[in-house]
Amino acid sequence: MSNDEPNAVAAPAEATTTHASPTDSSRRESGPTVLQFRRLGHTTHRAIRPRPFRGADPDLEPLRRQAMSIISEVLADTNPDEADVREKLRWHVTNNPGKPEKALLDHMLTVAVEQEESA
């Protein structure tokens, strides 16, 4: 391989393949196989517009702080009678990472449905 061929790479000798069988005596040994590569400057991918970060909405920050405060108070409670409620809230928080307002809303809807079913 010479410097005149910047887009080609020589393959190792073990990587050369022939269609002849191993016992075929007419098999001739050739030089290294040259593989062609596309230039790095040319791509087939489309340009993608970056999406804004989900948590970057400044209007939601007061609501998120308030939801986190409520969640923290509920989870800090030590009443053993409400352990199942805390466990369900933890589950919603885990399944809505970075969105405490959604976790709290989902939890409250779940509790409301359970109360309607038991009434």
Side-chain angles (χ1 to χ4, degrees), residues 35-106:
L35 303 174
Q36 296 292 328
F37 292 101
R38 289 184 294 181
R39 292 178 183 251
L40 293 175
H42 302 293
T43 180
T44 58
H45 299 292
R46 297 180 302 175
I48 298 173
R49 185 181 332 145
R51 293 188 300 182
F53 181 65
R54 287 183 181 177
D57 188 0
D59 295 334
L60 287 178
E61 286 309 310
L63 177 63
R64 287 194 170 147
R65 282 195 301 270
Q66 186 178 18
M68 277 306 301
S69 173
I70 294 169
I71 290 170
S72 296
E73 284 184 38
V74 172
L75 294 179
D77 190 15
T78 58
N79 185 355
D81 296 333
E82 296 177 357
D84 59 332
V85 173
R86 289 190 300 274
E87 190 60 38
K88 290 175 185 175
L89 180 57
R90 278 190 199 95
W91 185 88
H92 286 290
V93 171
T94 302
N95 288 312
N96 293 290
K99 299 181 207 172
E101 72 284 0
K102 179 149 176 29
L104 186 60
L105 176 62
D106 289 349

